[in-house]
Amino acid sequence: MNMNHSSVTADTEQVPTITATLLPDTQRLHFWPQHFAGIPQWILLEPRIFAWMDRLCEDYHGGIWNFYTLSNGGVFMTPEPDGDTGDKWTLFNTMNGNSAEMSAEAAGIAACLLEYSHHACRTECDAMTAHYYRLRDYALNHPECSSIMHLID
């Protein structure tokens, strides 16, 4: 599955499209070490993203997550929607008092951005900061950008 998002700047200069590609199941085992091995405590990222989603969304009760790579070198993961949540999930961030209704993909992006930011601050690792900005660049051109940014602000 490829998801394409592009934008046009104020002077109508085309910004390169950042595409997301679903990682095949056969490559899931190598996802974290391939993209984060040089980052201190990288092994904690996945459970902490799950914890963010659990804090943000009352309707989240665990489940399968999909992994995506971005054409700009970024990566993220999203929960698979289940029958209980429907097409949209309601998320609430107690740290800023903001809520948003969004797709599972946007919710996963938001949870990843929050963890990437916190992990970058905890580890003071430039490579983790770079992961945050690659995903943020994708999120800034996402159809649900305003909801994602409102939630993580």
Side-chain angles (χ1 to χ4, degrees):
M1 169 190 275
N2 279 331
M3 294 173 274
N4 300 314
H5 303 289
S6 64
S7 68
V8 178
T9 61
D11 62 1
T12 67
E13 178 183 314
Q14 184 72 23
V15 176
T17 299
I18 300 172
T19 59
T21 304
L22 178 63
L23 193 73
D25 285 344
T26 57
Q27 295 178 18
R28 290 172 67 93
L29 182 62
H30 305 288
F31 178 82
W32 292 105
Q34 179 182 355
H35 298 286
F36 295 91
I39 296 170
Q41 303 170 14
W42 66 266
I43 197 122
L44 299 173
L45 288 167
E46 186 174 26
R48 286 182 173 159
I49 292 167
F50 296 154
W52 273 109
M53 190 63 180
D54 191 48
R55 267 181 292 214
L56 295 168
C57 184
E58 238 177 60
D59 294 324
Y60 174 71
H61 304 292
I64 306 288
W65 286 61
N66 294 312
F67 295 82
Y68 292 88
T69 58
L70 298 173
S71 58
N72 68 354
V75 295
F76 67 99
M77 54 191 275
T78 66
E80 282 189 358
D82 61 28
D84 295 340
T85 59
D87 291 341
K88 296 286 184 177
W89 293 11
T90 301
L91 283 76
F92 177 71
N93 186 343
T94 58
M95 295 188 322
N96 64 14
N98 293 339
S99 65
E101 190 172 276
M102 58 182 62
S103 67
E105 178 187 336
I109 291 169
C112 287
L113 283 169
L114 285 164
E115 178 50 31
Y116 290 6
S117 174
H118 282 252
H119 200 79
C121 290
R122 270 192 304 275
T123 62
E124 298 181 355
C125 178
D126 291 340
M128 192 69 231
T129 302
H131 274 289
Y132 171 84
Y133 282 110
R134 286 184 203 117
L135 180 53
R136 191 196 70 163
D137 287 346
Y138 178 72
L140 287 173
N141 293 299
H142 192 276
E144 297 176 83
C145 173
S146 60
S147 294
I148 295 167
M149 295 304 153
H150 182 71
L151 190 72
I152 69 168
D153 179 27

